[in-house]
């Protein structure tokens, strides 16, 4: 089978396409014929050796995949032919992936491989953040930073579905147009407008919550725009710099700053995790929310797909068709 291999940490251009032996399943595992894989920002960091967890090279990157089961080990609830979607940390950018059966779920009827692959990580991240951490209610003003990115557009879609008023902050008129088309009530170009001033003008009393997957210089003005008792959810640092926030701002308005990370959320908060996943699945299977796919690449152009995400070009999800 053909697979993308990261032979040493470095830029996306160092990734190579190789012929590797077909995997065989052991107890509790399955082999999936991958049909679509999604690129996530952590893939960029992982192949560059900059993610918080290091995978020793060589490895096949790709943390999110959808496809057909082609072989099943002992004791798994799947049989060849089943359509499944799952997350695997690595291994998705390949024609075949060996994954624990527990890491995949059936693809809901009527949902195609690309939408299934593009849904999991970003929507789970955004939903836990909105539902369990920011605890937003109908009518709340919610600011989403990096709103046209993967996590960002998922948060816009979900925030709108939950009845919140979403203020989408991103860079460039094209990205903001997509956010409005996805239901954002207002937009701010945070590289051309003063973020804090615009949020205060639009929301009146300030925002109830901020979701921040970007960090850098955007976090502090967004936090300053919060209303009294507002919630700031830190999710990632796509801009590169990890912001340092003056704590007096947090004290003076009784703001809550909280992080959320999907790898640890399920074990730290099992009840909320189960509830959130059930609600999310119902919204997805019922067609109430769906990922926006901004670009698609064939497997042999995976390096270009990862570069596209690294260079801030992605709108919504970038999918690799395998
Ligand atoms: N907490 C969690 O569990 C979790 C889960 C998944 C992802 N994440 C993190 O969330 C962040 C976003 O992930 P994603 O998959 O949504 O990525 P993405 O699709 O690339 O979106 C990131 C957004 O950040 C903005 N950005 C600002 N400066 C940037 C820069 N210098 N380089 C790249 N992007 C920049 C871009 O929007 P503009 O151009 O409009 O500014 C871009 O749309 C990443 O840091 C990722 O590690 C966290």
């Amino acid at each position: 089978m053909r697979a993308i291999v990261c032979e040493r940490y470095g830029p996306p251009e160092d990734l190579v396409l190789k012929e590797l032996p077909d995997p065989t399943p052991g107890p509790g595992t399955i082999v999936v014929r991958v049909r679509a894989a999604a690129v996530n920002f952590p893939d960029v960091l992982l192949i560059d050796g900059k993610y918080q967890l290091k995978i020793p090279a060589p490895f096949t990157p790709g943390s999110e995949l959808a496809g057909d089961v082609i072989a099943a080990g002992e004791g798994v609830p799947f049989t060849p032919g089943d359509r499944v979607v799952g997350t695997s940390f690595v291994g998705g950018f390949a024609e075949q992936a060996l994954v624990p059966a527990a890491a995949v779920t059936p693809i809901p009827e009527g949902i195609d491989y690309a939408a299934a692959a593009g849904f999991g990580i970003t929507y789970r991240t955004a939903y836990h953040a909105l539902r369990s951490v920011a605890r937003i209610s109908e009518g709340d003003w919610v600011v989403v930073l990096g709103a046209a990115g993967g996590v960002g557009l998922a948060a816009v879609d979900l925030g709108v579905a939950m009845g919140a008023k979403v203020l989408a902050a991103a860079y460039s008129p094209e990205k903001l147009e997509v956010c409005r088309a996805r239901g954002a009530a207002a937009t701010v170009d945070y590289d051309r407008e003063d973020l804090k001033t615009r949020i205060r003008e639009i929301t009146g009393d300030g925002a109830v919550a901020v979701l921040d997957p970007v960090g850098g210089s955007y976090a502090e003005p967004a936090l300053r725009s919060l209303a009294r008792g507002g919630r700031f959810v830190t999710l990632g640092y796509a801009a590169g710099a990890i912001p340092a926030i003056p704590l007096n701002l947090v004290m003076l308005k009784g703001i809550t700053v909280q992080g959320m990370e999907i790898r640890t959320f399920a074990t730290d908060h099992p009840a909320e995790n189960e509830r959130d996943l059930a609600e999310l699945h119902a919204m997805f299977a019922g067609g109430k929310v769906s990922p926006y796919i901004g670009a698609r690449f064939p497997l042999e152009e995976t390096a270009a797909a990862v570069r596209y995400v690294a260079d801030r070009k992605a709108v919504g999800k970038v999918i690799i068709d395998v």
Side-chain angles (χ1 to χ4, degrees):
M1 65 132 176
R2 295 181 314 149
I4 296 295
V5 179
C6 172
E7 297 186 306
R8 58 181 176 278
Y9 295 142
E13 290 70 23
D14 288 357
L15 295 172
V16 290
L17 180 65
K18 290 186 107 169
E19 191 66 37
L20 296 182
D22 290 355
T24 44
T29 63
I30 54 172
V31 177
V32 177
R33 171 63 178 91
V34 181
R35 299 293 176 190
V39 183
N40 287 279
F41 200 84
D43 300 325
V44 178
L45 303 174
L46 197 69
I47 64 167
D48 206 12
K50 291 185 177 152
Y51 194 60
Q52 54 257 49
L53 287 183
K54 306 259 182 294
I55 301 286
F59 66 91
T60 291
S63 51
E64 199 166 30
L65 58 94
D68 307 307
V69 175
I70 53 170
E74 269 168 54
V76 304
F78 296 105
T79 51
D82 288 349
R83 289 177 358 118
V84 292
V85 58
T87 51
S88 66
F89 202 53
V90 290
F93 299 158
E95 286 175 339
Q96 296 180 24
L98 176 68
V99 291
V104 303
T105 53
I107 298 175
E109 208 161 311
I111 305 269
D112 67 24
Y113 295 113
F119 182 75
I121 292 177
T122 51
Y123 273 73
R124 270 165 47 209
T125 303
Y127 196 58
H128 292 320
L130 289 165
R131 174 77 162 99
S132 291
V133 184
R135 302 184 314 282
I136 63 155
S137 304
E138 227 173 298
D140 284 349
W141 271 110
V142 177
V143 174
V144 178
L145 303 183
V151 172
L153 262 190
V156 172
D157 194 18
L158 286 164
V160 170
M162 294 164 81
K165 290 182 283 191
V166 176
L167 192 164
Y171 165 70
S172 91
E174 297 74 24
K175 287 186 174 186
L176 295 176
E177 182 52 42
V178 174
C179 295
R180 279 191 292 275
R182 300 287 283 179
T187 56
V188 175
D189 186 327
Y190 54 24
D191 277 0
R192 294 187 173 93
E193 301 175 83
D194 184 276
L195 183 58
K196 179 192 144 198
T197 307
R198 287 294 294 132
I199 295 173
R200 299 293 304 205
E201 284 171 359
I202 292 165
T203 61
D205 295 334
V208 170
V210 171
L211 262 61
D212 178 15
V214 184
S217 58
Y218 307 106
E220 187 177 325
L223 184 137
R224 284 178 183 271
S225 79
L226 280 167
R228 291 198 62 73
R231 277 92 70 188
F232 185 96
V233 189
T234 176
L235 294 169
Y237 313 97
I242 297 175
I245 301 290
L247 281 179
N248 63 315
L249 301 176
V250 174
M251 179 196 70
L252 288 171
K253 286 201 280 183
I255 286 168
T256 302
V257 178
Q258 195 172 334
M260 199 294 301
E261 207 244 349
I262 44 167
R263 276 182 312 117
T264 48
F265 187 82
T267 36
D268 291 349
H269 306 282
E272 288 92 337
N273 182 62
E274 206 173 304
R275 178 202 62 195
D276 292 358
L277 294 188
E279 292 175 356
L280 200 48
H281 183 268
M283 283 193 275
F284 185 45
K288 201 170 177 197
V289 296
S290 65
Y292 179 90
I293 295 169
R296 299 175 80 141
F297 294 80
L299 182 66
E300 48 273 27
E301 288 175 26
T302 297
V306 180
R307 166 58 63 199
Y308 195 74
V309 171
D311 281 355
R312 209 175 166 178
K313 290 187 180 141
V315 178
K317 291 306 302 177
V318 172
I319 296 294
I320 294 173
D321 292 300
V322 185

